[in-house]
Structure formats: structure tokens, C-alpha cells
Amino acid sequence: MDFSSLGFGYIKAPYRYVCKYKDGQWGEGYLTEDDTIVLSESACVLQYAQTCFEGLKAYRTANDDIVCFRPDLNAARLVSSCKRMVMPPFPEDKFLEAVKTVVMANKDMVPPYGTGGSLYVRPFMIGTDPILPVKPSGEFEFRIFVSPVGPYFKNGIKPLTLRIADYDRAAPHGTGNIKAGLNYAMSLYPTVEAHEEGYDENVYLDPGSRTYIEETGGANILFITKDRKIVTSKSDSILPSITKRSILQVAQERLGLTVEERKINVSEISSFVECGLCGTAAVICPVGKIVDQSHQPVFSADMDKAGEVTMKLYNALLDIQLGRAEAPEGWIFTVGK
């Protein structure tokens, strides 16, 4: 495989991990080369979207170890998602072992250090019972597949242009704070519409008052003030991002920056000097412009390059992930060689 030419898309790997839940308990997990799933046409996941998922990466570090970044937090977040979706939580220790098993089985597909690539790891769970009434499934399947991916920014880090959406990403007191597939299904139409209008992504406002900035369709958002303070949205209806949590800690402990999590009124974003989206895929993606529903700019920054603080945060976290800087205790999960 030419790892230097990878994009960010699905490539079938040799092995995936499968574990099934039946009669009130999880069975023994196993590896399989079969990438297909056979379901009844009335399976709960197909009829009522009973599914949740996670996303993380495996990297080769500077000393050629294969590692994952804070997978224990993915395991814990999956438990939260399962509880909300009335699905049996997958044991966290078993989750970590499953990640290790499937990554090592596909270790030849982990891109070499220096290529900018990684092995994307996608754990997910589905309700498999054939049902007709609206009710939870009684049987489930937990799976992990992997795919080698290239750097998210193939041609360098270029600031994005966002629009504030007319749509809501999540309902008040709904499922916005978990990683459920249905949340992403709701974002598909607004995302396609945004792309057709020439924007890279949508910014969603809080579903209650439509006054405060929440997040985008696939990432948390953060802003930076003139005095280099990092301000990020706080809400019960946004996904608790592992990347954002890590960035804020690095900002405080490594870069000496002040961070603040609070409600951010849409009327104040014009006063910020930098903006970024953070998530597993890109770490941090700079934002150059945000427009409102009438396409009028409400935030403007440099459209040619990322801001100084944004780049410092990006490099600091990437150095930790790739083993170029010492990681805080427990952040790096060593899979093998």
C-alpha cells in the first residue's frame, strides 16, 4: 500500500472484531475476515435507528510503537451512549482489549511514522432483533472495523468557511450529548445544503433559545480572544469531545493559556480573533469565516492560514499523540510494535 497517497476514506482491512449480546449477556469476541452483516429486514437498527458508535485512531510513534490516544475515554463515552439508547453497555476493559486485538491483527495497515497517516478505528453497536413495535432490541452486535487514512489536511491546513444553520442538530433534552447515529443522520440534509451554497460546515445554535453557539455537525468549536484566552461552548446538548478535553488541558498545562467553558452568545463571536473545530479526524481545523442565516459575516479571520494559537494547540497535541512529546499519565495506550 502506498501510505503517502492515502486520503480520508474507507479502505477494507483484513480483520474486524465482533461480539454478540444474547440472553442478557455478552458472548466471546472474535476476529473475522467477513466485512458483511446479515440482518432481518425488521432489525431494530434498520427500523428505529438503535445504534451508537465511537471513533479513534492508532498511530506509529517516533520509536515505531503502535499506540492509541486515550481509548479509555472512548470506552466510557460508549457506555454513556449505550445507556441512553437502551443498549447493554460494552465492558470498558473488554473494549480496550478489543481495540488492541483488532489493531494488532491489522498492524501492517498502520501507516509508518512520518507519513501523516493513521489507522482509523470505528467501534459501533447495533440492535439486531427483528421487531415491529417501537421498543428496544433484545439482541445486539458490537463490532470494530479499521481503515488506514491519510492526513486530514492533504494540502496543508486551510481555514474553513462556516454558516450558522437554520436547523437544529439536537432536540432540547434529547440525544445531542451522546454519539448516536441518529444525530448524524439529522445533520446530513443541512450539510449537503451548506456544501451546495459553498460552505464547508454548519454551526448549530442551542435548540432551546437559538441564541448560543453549540457545535458543528461533526466537531466541537472553540474561539480565541485577543488576549489569547480559549473560550469553548458549554451545553448539555453537545457531544463531550475527547479531543477538546485534551486540547484544553494541554493549553493550560503546556502552553500556559487560560481556558473558559461557558455559553457563547452568537452576538459576541465577532469579537474573537481565532476559531477552530476540534475532533478525532483533524485534531484542530481552523475557521476563517462564519456567516449568519442571511449570509452576512459574523466572524472573520485570516483565510490563508491558521491563527498562531490554533497552530500551537494543533502541534502540541499532535506531538503528544505521535510520541514526540511526553504525554500526561494515561493518555497513550500502547498496542504493540
Side-chain angles (χ1 to χ4, degrees):
M1 182 177 294
D2 182 4
F3 290 107
S4 63
S5 64
L6 287 173
F8 200 87
Y10 174 77
I11 297 174
K12 180 182 173 182
Y15 300 100
R16 62 273 313 130
Y17 177 91
V18 180
C19 190
K20 297 182 180 181
Y21 181 91
K22 187 175 182 180
D23 298 327
Q25 62 183 358
W26 287 104
E28 290 297 318
Y30 59 92
L31 291 172
T32 178
E33 296 182 66
D34 187 1
D35 65 326
T36 62
I37 302 174
V38 178
L39 293 170
S40 164
E41 61 188 351
S42 190
C44 192
V45 62
L46 300 179
Q47 300 305 315
Y48 304 119
Q50 193 179 22
T51 176
C52 56
F53 68 98
E54 275 298 322
L56 61 153
K57 289 179 178 178
Y59 308 85
R60 285 198 183 273
T61 64
N63 63 1
D64 209 37
D65 285 337
I66 300 174
V67 304
C68 290
F69 182 70
R70 310 190 78 177
D72 56 315
L73 298 186
N74 294 99
R77 191 168 64 180
L78 182 67
V79 168
S80 296
S81 297
C82 288
K83 289 178 178 178
R84 180 64 176 81
M85 294 296 291
V86 198
M87 306 173 82
F90 196 71
E92 295 180 40
D93 58 342
K94 197 168 183 174
F95 178 99
L96 294 176
E97 188 59 36
V99 168
K100 184 173 184 177
T101 298
V102 74
V103 170
M104 286 304 292
N106 296 286
K107 68 177 183 178
D108 290 343
M109 299 193 82
V110 182
Y113 173 78
T115 62
S118 58
L119 189 70
Y120 191 87
V121 182
R122 170 51 60 85
F124 67 100
M125 192 186 299
I126 57 175
T128 56
D129 252 358
I131 62 173
L132 197 57
V134 180
K135 66 174 186 177
S137 178
E139 297 183 5
F140 299 86
E141 191 164 318
F142 171 80
R143 298 176 71 100
I144 305 177
F145 69 82
V146 299
S147 175
V149 295
Y152 196 79
F153 303 112
K154 198 67 175 178
N155 300 310
I157 298 177
K158 301 294 184 182
L160 304 178
T161 300
L162 313 181
R163 68 165 191 176
I164 295 177
D166 286 320
Y167 307 93
D168 290 331
R169 176 190 158 272
H173 313 295
T175 57
N177 63 332
I178 64 168
K179 210 164 177 63
L182 57 92
N183 295 338
Y184 296 81
M186 290 175 65
S187 74
L188 294 177
Y189 182 87
T191 298
V192 170
E193 186 180 85
H195 291 169
E196 289 174 347
E197 294 182 4
Y199 301 104
D200 296 296
E201 179 59 287
N202 292 292
V203 177
Y204 294 98
L205 302 179
D206 73 285
S209 69
R210 296 191 57 78
T211 302
Y212 300 101
I213 297 289
E214 293 252 303
E215 61 179 326
T216 67
N220 279 188
I221 190 167
L222 55 85
F223 295 95
I224 298 161
T225 66
K226 293 177 182 178
D227 58 358
R228 298 161 63 89
K229 178 192 291 184
I230 300 171
V231 182
T232 186
S233 299
K234 186 175 183 179
S235 168
D236 292 333
S237 58
I238 65 176
L239 186 71
S241 166
I242 295 167
T243 303
K244 185 184 83 169
R245 176 175 170 176
S246 304
I247 286 171
L248 296 183
Q249 186 172 335
V250 167
Q252 289 180 295
E253 297 179 359
R254 299 287 175 93
L255 303 179
L257 300 174
T258 302
V259 303
E260 184 178 14
E261 290 187 83
R262 62 172 173 82
K263 290 185 175 182
I264 303 173
N265 195 296
V266 68
S267 65
E268 68 176 295
I269 64 174
S270 60
S271 65
F272 296 115
V273 297
E274 293 182 40
C275 176
L277 307 183
C278 56
T280 299
V283 183
I284 301 180
C285 184
V287 174
K289 182 186 291 185
I290 303 175
V291 303
D292 62 17
Q293 292 92 333
S294 60
H295 305 285
Q296 297 302 307
V298 292
F299 169 83
S300 295
D302 195 329
M303 287 299 296
D304 295 321
K305 61 181 181 179
E308 176 191 359
V309 176
T310 300
M311 283 306 302
K312 284 185 175 181
L313 293 170
Y314 173 81
N315 289 325
L317 191 60
L318 201 63
D319 285 347
I320 290 172
Q321 292 176 337
L322 296 178
R324 297 191 295 246
E326 184 179 355
E329 184 177 357
W331 280 27
I332 300 300
F333 178 75
T334 300
V335 174
K337 286 281 190 183

